[in-house]
Amino acid sequence: MQSIMRLLCSARSMTVRKGAVCTALCGLAFVSVPHAQATDVVVSIQPIHSLVSGVMGETGEPGLMVTGAASPHTYQMRPSEAQALNAADLIVWIGENMEMFLERPIENLGADAEVVTLHEVARMELLPTREGGLWPDEHDEHKEAHVDEHDDHGHDHGEFDMHIWLDPGNASRIVEVSADALSRIDPDGAEIYFSNADSMLERIATLEASLAEQLEPVHERAFVVFHDGYQYFEHAFGLNTVGAVAVDPGRPPGTKRIVELREALVEHDVRCVFIEPQFPPDLVETLTEGTTVRTAELDPIGVDFEPGPDAWFEMMRALGDAIAGCLGDP
């Protein structure tokens, strides 16, 4: 190619204008063009988008479906997002029990894309869905007995908690399967994807060790969450949550339930009740009024963080800081 360009540029019959154009072409012949994004990638929610973004790195940025404080359970897709699904080469989501709005669109619009359904991925650790409300003391033993290192696709999806990204081990698995999927679709970029994945795995391991050290002094102190969305984080770091305020985040508990919860705060020596930015704090204020129980905010999605490779790490660090701060000594 370079020899042909030199011959073209040296031809005596060229005009000055043609010579100028050819000089530019000759210069381009020596430029090393970086790997261009060869895939259109769509990811459902921000924590997963962050992990996939880290794998893609300099090759491009995946599209994010659910932005801001919107709930993946009730999200309504816009026409532009439907077009993105239709054009996608790769779609990464957790599954129909998390992003309910995506089930039919993926079947209809994403039929030509490779789809990674994360809760079906081999070796993804799955925890059983817990009943809302207060959990009996033996709950943790029951939970441990039902941890499923998933190796097939035959389980009942509704039995399992879908907040899988809050476990650093699962986050590492998401990084690995994303690199595999991207390299299948774009073999020319495989070296970049796997190199980026290795860097992400190192970052995840470093953060996990840091959070374990930070949370160890408070891991036995009891707390209550607004809704049961943190089981994987609790499991990963051995935390002592005793229940959730709302059985269903869409339906506030009644008076009887509030009375039971207030009694439980005393019985279990609860140090903190955590609210979430997606829900009004009035209910928790009513619950803790007249007690010494503290309140703080947890966000399992990371709505306040800029989408991108750092968002998952910032979200996990914020969870650790909030829990350690609220459960720690004054």
Side-chain angles (χ1 to χ4, degrees):
M1 171 67 179
Q2 293 176 5
S3 59
I4 293 173
M5 295 301 295
R6 291 193 188 98
L7 287 172
L8 287 172
C9 289
S10 62
R12 292 183 179 179
S13 59
M14 284 191 173
T15 64
V16 173
R17 184 176 180 182
K18 289 180 179 178
V21 172
C22 194
T23 299
L25 290 172
C26 289
L28 288 174
F30 294 95
V31 173
S32 175
V33 179
H35 176 77
Q37 182 174 354
T39 58
D40 286 319
V41 181
V42 174
V43 185
S44 58
I45 61 174
Q46 173 146 300
I48 309 303
H49 175 271
S50 175
L51 297 169
V52 177
S53 294
V55 175
M56 293 186 69
E58 61 269 37
T59 69
E61 184 178 351
L64 173 60
M65 298 289 289
V66 181
T67 58
S71 169
H73 300 296
T74 58
Y75 191 73
Q76 293 186 342
M77 205 164 49
R78 296 172 295 186
S80 60
E81 293 164 340
Q83 293 174 0
L85 274 185
N86 192 45
D89 299 303
L90 174 64
I91 300 170
V92 184
W93 70 321
I94 295 172
E96 63 275 9
N97 278 16
M98 174 58 68
E99 310 95 325
M100 301 175 186
F101 75 97
L102 268 180
E103 184 176 7
R104 287 190 178 180
I106 284 179
E107 292 177 359
N108 299 328
L109 299 173
D112 295 330
E114 175 162 349
V115 179
V116 176
T117 302
L118 291 170
H119 83 271
E120 294 181 346
V121 165
R123 294 188 289 109
M124 189 73 71
E125 184 177 54
L126 301 179
L127 299 176
T129 300
R130 299 189 288 204
E131 294 183 2
L134 298 174
W135 301 313
D137 294 338
E138 69 273 16
H139 179 78
D140 283 345
E141 296 177 7
H142 175 78
K143 176 178 69 176
E144 294 288 342
H146 286 77
V147 170
D148 177 28
E149 292 285 350
H150 181 54
D151 288 309
D152 57 55
H153 304 288
H155 66 269
D156 178 3
H157 305 331
E159 295 180 0
F160 296 98
D161 186 334
M162 295 288 105
H163 299 80
I164 57 175
W165 66 88
L166 291 176
D167 180 342
N170 282 346
S172 294
R173 188 71 188 120
I174 292 168
V175 166
E176 292 169 345
V177 298
S178 297
D180 288 341
L182 287 163
S183 63
R184 285 193 300 271
I185 296 169
D186 176 24
D188 291 341
E191 184 176 353
I192 296 175
Y193 300 136
F194 286 120
S195 176
N196 289 342
D198 287 342
S199 297
M200 290 288 285
L201 294 176
E202 290 180 8
R203 289 186 68 188
I204 291 170
T206 298
L207 178 62
E208 181 178 15
S210 176
L211 286 172
E213 181 179 0
Q214 179 185 29
L215 294 168
E216 196 280 332
V218 300
H219 77 277
E220 293 184 348
R221 294 179 179 176
F223 64 96
V224 169
V225 293
F226 184 83
H227 90 290
D228 189 17
Y230 305 91
Q231 184 178 188
Y232 287 93
F233 195 90
E234 300 158 18
H235 175 71
F237 299 106
L239 300 176
N240 181 26
T241 181
V242 297
V245 174
V247 176
D248 178 353
R251 291 185 303 169
T255 303
K256 180 181 178 181
R257 174 98 181 102
I258 291 292
V259 172
E260 291 176 349
L261 284 167
R262 284 179 63 87
E263 291 175 352
L265 296 183
V266 176
E267 179 184 350
H268 293 280
D269 191 23
V270 170
R271 179 69 63 95
C272 190
V273 176
F274 290 100
I275 61 176
E276 296 181 23
Q278 295 90 343
F279 304 104
D282 300 2
L283 181 60
V284 172
E285 291 174 359
T286 299
L287 177 63
T288 59
E289 185 179 4
T291 74
T292 59
V293 176
R294 306 171 185 172
T295 61
E297 183 176 282
L298 296 180
D299 176 14
I301 300 290
V303 299
D304 291 330
F305 301 115
E306 185 72 23
D310 295 331
W312 182 87
F313 297 91
E314 293 169 341
M315 176 203 69
M316 293 288 283
R317 173 57 69 192
L319 290 178
D321 289 345
I323 291 172
C326 198
L327 296 181
D329 294 327

